[in-house]
């Protein structure tokens, strides 16, 4: 989605194409996942974001629609997979029907000065998958110098999107983080905001800051403007 919009005046329904409708709870049943994907169709979300184990089912339901089949790997704990394993899993997810993949990055390698390895870990997934890759940079865990390096190395690796964080456990998505990434994104690279996005005003502010996509499990509450103090989102 283009971010050259008057975000403050977006209606809740107009926000739907920005939202990647996310469901990653452990123990989600087949029927729950079907309902999740059907909601993505019903509300016109950008994507149904699901664990790899549910990609094939999701792809079968979304066939013939324009909604993306999104999944994530090296997540929810990022940077724990081998590079070869990450690339192989990415290729398998695409074979099953994934059209976008969010990935964790090797924060420990970055902090160790292993910059070539950090870049190649991402580039291997880009080459193996052939679909848009979004990197979860975990900005709050990085120093200012590390943030700059993470962004530059990720773009050199060929990513399609920069993300501020993997979830709300790392950072509640903020306009400041989005603006930071937007200011550094080059060559058509876009920004996805993620982390405890659960209110209409919050979503509008992130889009106004330049986010092209929002990752949230509270998409229905956002576009129906029914969020409350009890609303949760990862």
């Amino acid at each position: 989605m283009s971010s050259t919009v008057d975000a403050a005046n977006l209606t809740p329904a107009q926000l739907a194409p920005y939202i990647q409708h996310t469901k990653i709870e452990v123990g989600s049943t087949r029927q729950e996942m079907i309902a999740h994907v059907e909601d993505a169709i019903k509300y016109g979300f950008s994507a149904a974001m699901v664990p790899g184990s549910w990609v094939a089912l999701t792809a079968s339901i979304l066939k013939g629609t324009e909604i993306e089949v999104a999944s994530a790997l090296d997540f929810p704990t990022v940077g724990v997979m081998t590079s070869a394993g990450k690339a192989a899993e990415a290729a398998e997810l695409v074979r099953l029907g994934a059209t976008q993949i969010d990935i964790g990055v090797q924060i420990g390698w970055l902090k160790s000065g292993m910059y070539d390895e950090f870049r190649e870990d991402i580039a291997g997934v880009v080459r193996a998958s052939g679909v848009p890759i979004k990197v979860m940079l975990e900005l709050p865990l990085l120093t200012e110098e590390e943030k700059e390096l993470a962004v530059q190395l990720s773009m050199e690796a060929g990513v399609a999107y920069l993300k501020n964080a993997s979830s709300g456990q790392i950072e509640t998505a903020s306009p400041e983080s989005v603006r930071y990434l937007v200011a550094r994104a080059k060559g058509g690279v876009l920004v996805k905001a993620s982390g405890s996005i659960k209110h209409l005003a919050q979503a509008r502010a992130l889009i106004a800051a330049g986010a092209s996509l929002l990752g949230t499990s509270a998409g229905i509450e956002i576009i129906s403007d029914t969020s409350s103090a009890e609303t949760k989102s990862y």
Side-chain angles (χ1 to χ4, degrees):
M1 291 292 298
S2 170
S3 294
T4 57
V5 296
D6 182 5
N9 290 320
L10 284 174
T11 66
Q14 287 172 329
L15 286 169
Y18 290 89
I19 291 173
Q20 304 226 296
H21 190 40
T22 304
K23 187 173 181 62
I24 55 172
E25 289 97 339
V26 173
S28 294
T29 66
R30 185 176 189 275
Q31 196 54 47
E32 288 170 342
M33 296 309 298
I34 290 172
H36 172 73
V37 179
E38 289 177 342
D39 280 341
I41 298 171
K42 176 181 178 181
Y43 293 102
F45 291 129
S46 163
M49 169 65 74
V50 301
S53 54
W54 294 112
V55 163
L57 174 66
T58 299
S60 69
I61 299 170
L62 292 179
K63 186 175 181 179
T65 75
E66 296 182 354
I67 298 171
E68 303 284 352
V69 180
S71 191
L73 60 85
D74 210 2
F75 168 82
T77 302
V78 306
V80 297
M81 293 180 69
T82 66
S83 296
K86 190 182 293 187
E89 177 69 359
E92 174 64 4
L93 291 176
V94 172
R95 186 189 71 81
L96 293 171
T99 58
Q100 294 183 355
I101 302 174
D102 294 27
I103 68 170
V105 297
Q106 298 289 354
I107 298 298
W109 290 0
L110 183 73
K111 289 181 174 292
S112 300
M114 300 165 61
Y115 305 137
D116 290 342
E117 292 88 345
F118 179 91
R119 182 198 303 109
E120 182 56 27
D121 181 72
I122 301 166
V125 173
V126 172
R127 290 193 300 269
S129 67
V131 302
I133 298 301
K134 312 185 206 89
V135 284
M136 301 182 275
L137 295 177
E138 314 293 52
L139 293 181
L141 304 184
L142 305 178
T143 65
E144 291 305 312
E145 180 182 6
E146 289 164 352
K147 290 177 186 178
E148 297 284 351
L149 283 166
V151 169
Q152 183 59 40
L153 293 169
S154 295
M155 291 192 295
E156 290 175 6
V159 303
Y161 288 83
L162 302 168
K163 289 181 62 176
N164 59 299
S166 59
S167 72
Q169 291 186 342
I170 301 298
E171 180 184 51
T172 296
S174 69
E176 292 75 20
S177 287
V178 170
R179 283 192 288 267
Y180 178 92
L181 294 175
V182 168
R184 289 156 178 78
K186 299 177 182 177
V189 174
L190 300 174
V191 173
K192 176 181 175 181
S194 183
S196 294
I197 304 172
K198 50 190 176 182
H199 301 292
L200 176 60
Q202 181 186 12
R204 285 173 171 159
L206 293 168
I207 294 169
S212 295
L213 292 174
L214 308 177
T216 176
S217 58
I220 294 173
E221 290 89 341
I222 290 170
I223 66 166
S224 60
D225 196 15
T226 57
S227 298
S228 68
E230 286 70 46
T231 300
K232 293 182 170 37
S233 177
Y234 35 75

